Amino acid sequence: MGAASSSLAGSEAYAGKLCGLGDVPENCITAMFMYMEPPEICILARVNRSFHRASRSDTVWEHKLPLNYKFLVRRILEDQQVGEKDKVISRTKEIYARLCRPNLFDAGTKEAWLDKRSGKVCLAISPKAMKITGFDDRRYWERISSDESRFGSIAYLRQVWWLEAVGNIRFEFAPGKYSVLFKIHLGKPLRKCGRKTCNLDQVHGWDIKPVRFQLSTSDGQGAMSERHLDEPGRWFYHHVGDFVVENQNSPVWVKFSMLQIDCTHTKGGLCLDYVIICPFEFRKEYTYLD
């Protein structure tokens, strides 16, 4: 009986010495966060003060930022208001949070953002940043306001003999493989009584000859693909091709185009929303849209 009481008392004393989450050293928590994705870090920051302090460590967030993040700060964030700039660049966590938002730059014609989990950069380029034949002539092209577009409007082709849309961007990408895609649509998107619909009256000419999509880079890479546009009424992304960035801190020119220059027939009823450049592994996420 006495031995049992002594054992019970000893176990209670041992239980009282067990460590809890509050006893974990902050440097250990910081080391653990280095292997976690940003959303997980933000959730665990609510556990206690030690976890919260570790979640704000510059060491953690600099590890999550892409290798070219200083270029992104200069090229994108410094275009923001001065009052916000000082706050944004003060800590790496704030830099990461700000870069994960859609950030317009180059007079609002381009947009960049980081994927929240991987920290990899994506770019979108609007038709306003491209050289498009007849784009400023309302006989051929029309700009349609759209709250579903990243840039607030889309370019709608009424009718043209010579279709040529060419764009380029000089950007410092982190090393990796990237894909280029055009977001396009056959038919004129409309809203009636709050419902999405589509006018196909001006869609013609795309089944005769394919549209040629091309990309090239300043270091000699290139790709070309062709496609008959025969799926009216739906947004879709056409994958032009891929390019590889090997050198860190080395800006590269990326040129991309969409061409249908067979002047034996007219074509019309095409919408162009934007061109996206994203990490290769994200390409499959861009599929058909309703």
Side-chain angles (χ1 to χ4, degrees):
M1 184 74 177
S5 299
S6 176
S7 176
L8 179 61
S11 64
E12 290 178 350
Y14 176 73
K17 295 180 181 179
L18 288 177
C19 294
L21 288 175
D23 298 311
V24 180
E26 191 172 316
N27 61 338
C28 292
I29 301 172
T30 300
M32 177 180 68
F33 283 166
M34 300 286 280
Y35 297 93
M36 292 185 172
E37 294 182 341
E40 297 171 336
I41 295 173
C42 293
I43 292 173
L44 289 174
R46 306 172 186 173
V47 171
N48 57 37
R49 292 181 179 179
S50 295
F51 276 73
H52 179 73
R53 287 193 298 268
S55 73
R56 295 179 58 83
S57 168
D58 285 339
T59 303
V60 171
W61 291 100
E62 188 163 6
H63 183 72
K64 305 301 178 185
L65 284 164
L67 296 176
N68 64 333
Y69 84 91
K70 293 182 180 178
F71 166 83
L72 298 177
V73 171
R74 294 193 306 270
R75 180 74 187 274
I76 300 170
L77 297 190
E78 289 184 359
D79 282 348
Q80 312 299 326
Q81 296 180 1
V82 175
E84 293 182 331
K85 181 185 70 173
D86 294 337
K87 178 181 177 182
V88 169
I89 64 175
S90 61
R91 296 186 64 91
T92 52
K93 183 179 180 180
E94 281 78 10
I95 293 174
Y96 193 95
R98 188 57 178 269
L99 288 174
C100 284
R101 305 173 194 169
N103 292 282
L104 292 170
F105 64 104
D106 285 0
T109 62
K110 301 180 181 72
E111 189 175 67
W113 67 97
L114 296 186
D115 174 67
K116 291 182 179 180
R117 290 191 175 275
S118 68
K120 296 184 176 181
V121 68
C122 299
L123 296 173
I125 300 98
S126 79
K128 295 178 183 179
M130 302 173 65
K131 183 179 180 181
I132 302 176
T133 303
F135 189 59
D136 295 322
D137 192 328
R138 291 182 62 87
R139 293 175 298 174
Y140 306 120
W141 288 90
E142 177 184 355
R143 299 176 188 179
I144 304 174
S145 297
S146 172
D147 57 2
E148 297 180 353
S149 172
R150 287 186 172 275
F151 299 96
S153 66
I154 57 178
Y156 176 68
L157 174 63
R158 293 176 173 177
Q159 179 172 286
V160 74
W161 289 89
W162 181 289
L163 171 65
E164 185 173 18
V166 181
N168 62 74
I169 185 171
R170 182 177 185 271
F171 205 79
E172 185 180 303
F173 293 92
K177 189 174 182 180
Y178 295 85
S179 296
V180 178
L181 306 97
F182 275 77
K183 184 184 178 185
I184 50 183
H185 180 283
L186 283 184
K188 188 175 185 178
L190 301 171
R191 278 191 177 273
K192 290 185 178 180
C193 301
R195 299 182 62 183
K196 292 188 295 183
T197 183
C198 183
N199 186 334
L200 304 179
D201 291 346
Q202 292 180 311
V203 177
H204 69 282
W206 305 108
D207 57 340
I208 300 174
K209 291 289 183 66
V211 177
R212 176 175 293 180
F213 298 87
Q214 294 176 295
L215 80 86
S216 60
T217 65
S218 55
D219 59 357
Q221 300 180 69
M224 189 274 287
S225 59
E226 292 186 339
R227 178 172 184 161
H228 282 90
L229 306 183
D230 55 2
E231 302 172 69
R234 301 186 72 179
W235 285 104
F236 62 93
Y237 290 90
H238 177 77
H239 176 226
V240 181
D242 309 310
F243 63 96
V244 176
V245 176
E246 296 180 346
N247 299 323
Q248 183 182 343
N249 302 324
S250 180
V252 59
W253 278 101
V254 181
K255 182 179 180 180
F256 43 86
S257 62
M258 178 173 67
L259 307 170
Q260 217 295 9
I261 55 178
D262 184 344
C263 293
T264 61
H265 65 283
T266 62
K267 37 265 176 186
L270 172 74
C271 287
L272 172 59
D273 193 354
Y274 56 83
V275 173
I276 187 168
I277 302 176
C278 66
F280 175 78
E281 58 268 29
F282 295 168
R283 177 174 62 88
K284 294 181 179 179
E285 297 180 12
Y286 296 99
T287 55
Y288 287 93
L289 302 174
D290 293 330

